[in-house]
Amino acid sequence: DTTSEQAVKLVLAKPNIFVSKRSGKYDVFKRDVDGKNETTLLSGTGTEQEDISILQNMNSDKVAFVSSREGKRNKEGYLLSNLYIIESTTKSVSKIDDTESEKIQLLGWINDRLIFVQIISGPSATITNRQRIISYNEKDDSKTELVGANYFNDVELINGQIYYAPSGGLLYKISADGSGQSTIL
């Protein structure tokens, strides 16, 4: 028995989800934290750009994945990305409707909600809501646009709240379900 303070380090029970191009395509893998039991969750198509994003929900077996894997392009020829949810235990993949965009920036998970910024295709000067903060609810597969702007100077998740600063100099906060919007500064 000891009454002195003891440092304890724990390892996550979740597998490590990562992207690798070792096959020549950007594939999504899962493996234990010790490097064992590696398996492919999603094989690449060969049209993926290298700016792939992946974000694991530590409260579930869901993984958000942004990729240009479909090979679709805008009028200027740039590849468009979509958002996918990978269920890491069953390896099922579902594409989230209406997410085809020039860019999708994954911000984080707040419980069962994935928060991301979607930058839609088109010239920025003519679209007032070109950038949109979206909340995707994995439980009921629904998407909610929380706020839109021509441009966000910054968007951050802090203590379960979304703080955002659209062009114009103000700072706001909103909850992941769209409630509690308020001006901070």
Side-chain angles (χ1 to χ4, degrees):
D1 264 344
T2 181
T3 57
S4 63
E5 186 175 314
Q6 299 290 315
V8 177
K9 294 182 180 184
L10 302 175
V11 176
L12 291 173
K14 296 281 184 188
N16 178 25
I17 311 289
F18 64 98
V19 176
S20 174
K21 192 179 179 185
R22 61 185 135 178
S23 72
K25 301 177 198 169
Y26 290 100
D27 302 315
V28 180
F29 293 92
K30 170 176 92 167
R31 70 176 169 206
D32 296 339
V33 292
D34 62 2
K36 296 179 181 174
N37 300 316
E38 185 172 291
T39 183
T40 303
L41 290 178
L42 181 65
S43 295
T45 62
T47 62
E48 296 89 355
Q49 297 181 106
E50 63 184 45
D51 66 344
I52 291 171
S53 298
I54 192 164
L55 184 63
Q56 188 171 358
N57 184 345
M58 299 314 286
N59 296 323
S60 76
D61 294 321
K62 305 282 173 88
V63 178
F65 176 64
V66 175
S67 172
S68 59
R69 62 183 283 109
E70 292 183 11
K72 292 185 179 179
R73 297 181 179 271
N74 67 8
K75 291 185 293 185
E76 289 79 31
Y78 294 102
L79 281 168
L80 299 173
S81 294
N82 278 286
L83 173 62
Y84 303 86
I85 299 295
I86 303 170
E87 212 294 337
S88 65
T89 55
T90 64
K91 299 183 184 181
S92 65
V93 179
S94 36
K95 178 178 155 185
I96 306 306
D97 292 335
D98 301 320
T99 57
E100 189 172 273
S101 307
E102 287 184 6
K103 183 173 183 174
I104 298 172
Q105 177 188 0
L106 299 176
L107 298 172
W109 290 92
I110 299 176
N111 300 318
D112 299 327
R113 292 180 180 267
L114 172 66
I115 311 302
F116 62 96
V117 176
Q118 180 177 6
I119 303 172
I120 63 169
S121 191
S124 110
T126 60
I127 301 175
T128 56
N129 284 340
R130 179 171 159 74
Q131 294 189 9
R132 300 169 183 168
I133 301 173
I134 307 290
S135 173
Y136 169 74
N137 187 335
E138 77 170 65
K139 291 292 185 195
D140 64 8
D141 192 36
S142 65
K143 241 179 26 166
T144 304
E145 181 178 329
L146 300 177
V147 67
N150 184 49
Y151 178 79
F152 289 105
N153 292 321
D154 200 6
V155 181
E156 298 289 334
L157 302 186
I158 303 170
N159 294 327
Q161 296 289 306
I162 304 155
Y163 291 82
Y164 62 96
S167 56
L170 296 176
L171 176 64
Y172 299 92
K173 148 178 116 161
I174 193 167
S175 296
D177 64 3
S179 67
Q181 183 177 21
S182 60
T183 306
I184 303 298
L185 180 66

